[in-house]
Amino acid sequence: MHVQEWLDTVPAAAVYALVGLVIGLESLGIPLPGEIILVSAALLSSQHAGIDPVVLGACASVGAIVGDSIGYAIGRKGGRPLLAWLGNKFPKHFSEGHIATAERSFEKWGMWAVFFGRFVALLRIFAGPLAGVLRMPYWKFLIANVFGGILWAGGTTAVIYYVGIVAESWLKRFSWLGLVAAVLIGLTSMLVLKRKAKKVQSEQQETEPALAGD
């Protein structure tokens, strides 16, 4: 069966539920490819008349907002030990360098780190739990969470949907090209943050021997 024919058999409700669930779990603090799922679903909605991009964007926004709020509550209750536990479970995502980079962002930007963090792959995972750990006032977190979640989820859905409409005839011949593009976008944003995290980690390693010598 051709990929496009198979995609046309996917129930719209299943797509909405999958997008909301994956993005919600990612926002909660579980490393999942939320951005890739959202981009792929938005492309699908541009080729599948049964999938409404408005409903898709709404489901993605709800998943992002609810997931981040749960992550905030968990982080506020778990505190620093939670970050240590996550570092043991997911060392590639919750390494000391990544956490240090995220903390510096929160210290510098406050609630704006939650808002803009929605657009950075790894920071999306940190935002909720770390805001709770750092005891950010919930009303500030909620405002940034709601506006950031809606702008990211709704904006991504709208942009990819209209790109899919414009390039529909081309995408039909290369059905998986959109997914490849989404992977590249996600990898690029992760590599940028990883580079910053490695820089912070190397600075910490250089500082520790100096402190030990004192």
Side-chain angles (χ1 to χ4, degrees), residues 41-92:
L43 278 174
L44 177 58
S45 71
S46 70
Q47 305 168 49
H48 193 308
I51 299 177
D52 189 332
V54 175
V55 177
L56 178 65
C59 290
S61 299
V62 170
I65 295 168
V66 173
D68 246 12
S69 295
I70 295 174
Y72 174 91
I74 294 174
R76 194 173 180 88
K77 184 175 181 180
R80 292 283 176 179
L82 174 65
L83 296 181
W85 180 83
L86 289 172
N88 291 329
K89 292 293 183 180
F90 308 103
K92 291 183 178 180

Side-chain angles (χ1 to χ4, degrees), residues 103-212:
E103 283 188 303
R104 287 175 62 178
S105 298
F106 270 74
E107 290 172 0
K108 185 176 182 180
W109 302 106
M111 63 187 293
W112 290 107
V114 177
F115 180 85
F116 289 111
R118 176 61 61 182
F119 299 87
V120 181
L122 286 177
L123 201 52
R124 271 199 306 278
I125 303 172
F126 285 118
L130 191 56
V133 170
L134 297 178
R135 302 282 174 171
M136 176 182 289
Y138 182 69
W139 68 268
K140 289 185 176 182
F141 171 80
L142 183 61
I143 292 173
N145 178 26
V146 170
F147 283 100
I150 292 174
L151 184 61
W152 172 74
T156 299
T157 302
V159 169
I160 298 301
Y161 174 78
Y162 286 113
V163 167
I165 291 293
V166 172
E168 183 177 4
S169 60
W170 186 60
L171 288 172
K172 282 182 178 179
R173 290 180 292 171
F174 301 94
S175 301
W176 295 113
L177 190 61
L179 180 58
V180 174
V183 172
L184 292 177
I185 292 171
L187 287 176
T188 300
S189 59
M190 283 192 291
L191 287 174
V192 170
L193 190 58
K194 282 183 178 180
R195 184 181 299 177
K196 292 181 180 179
K198 287 181 180 179
K199 183 178 179 180
V200 173
Q201 195 168 19
S202 63
E203 290 176 354
Q204 289 179 335
Q205 290 174 351
E206 291 174 0
T207 304
E208 287 175 2
L211 293 174

